[in-house]
Amino acid sequence: HVQLVESGGGSVQAGGSLRLSCAASGYTYCMAWIRQAPGKERERVAHIDRDGRTTYADSVKGRFTISRDNATNTQYLNMNDLKPEDTAMYYCAAKQGGCTVRPDVFRYWGQGTQVTVS
């Protein structure tokens, strides 16, 4: 079982930046950031596989950058030009095997970190 621990959330004004981190306790092939705002469905924000291939939700393209360090099993999400609609609980998720845009197939989840943009 892989444990995921996020850090780096907080409150920021619109146009600001935040960086999220997620440390995994073991090997994972695909890592992702998935967010959920109150009253809304979960949304896959971005994912990255172990070879560095990335995809992003259209809503964050050009503003968010996902990256990972395979040596430390850590992934990051750099978020720039934040907007109020980015406000959500952000979850680190991971799975073995190929990446997917479907949040429900990710096996491992962190506890979440809140991002609030005002």
Side-chain angles (χ1 to χ4, degrees):
H1 183 76
V2 176
Q3 293 182 320
L4 304 175
V5 179
E6 304 105 331
S7 60
S11 297
V12 65
Q13 292 188 336
S17 299
L18 285 173
R19 188 190 200 205
L20 306 183
S21 300
C22 172
S25 63
Y27 175 97
T28 59
Y29 184 78
C30 179
M31 299 188 79
W33 291 98
I34 295 167
R35 67 186 180 187
Q36 188 166 26
K40 294 188 176 181
E41 294 189 353
R42 291 180 300 183
E43 176 189 23
R44 192 249 8 180
V45 175
H47 68 231
I48 184 168
D49 68 19
R50 204 162 181 89
D51 297 318
R53 290 181 289 246
T54 61
T55 64
Y56 297 89
D58 288 342
S59 58
V60 306
K61 282 181 181 176
R63 301 189 297 121
F64 291 11
T65 303
I66 190 171
S67 59
R68 68 186 288 171
D69 181 345
N70 291 335
T72 61
N73 294 316
T74 303
Q75 72 159 344
Y76 306 95
L77 186 68
N78 286 301
M79 304 184 292
N80 297 317
D81 189 23
L82 282 160
K83 306 180 181 202
E85 51 263 43
D86 295 317
T87 295
M89 184 71 77
Y90 283 70
Y91 296 92
C92 173
K95 64 186 294 291
Q96 312 303 355
C99 285
T100 174
V101 300
R102 291 176 52 193
D104 59 304
V105 299
F106 282 85
R107 180 175 181 183
Y108 308 111
W109 290 79
Q111 79 285 357
T113 185
Q114 179 68 37
V115 171
T116 302
V117 185
S118 59

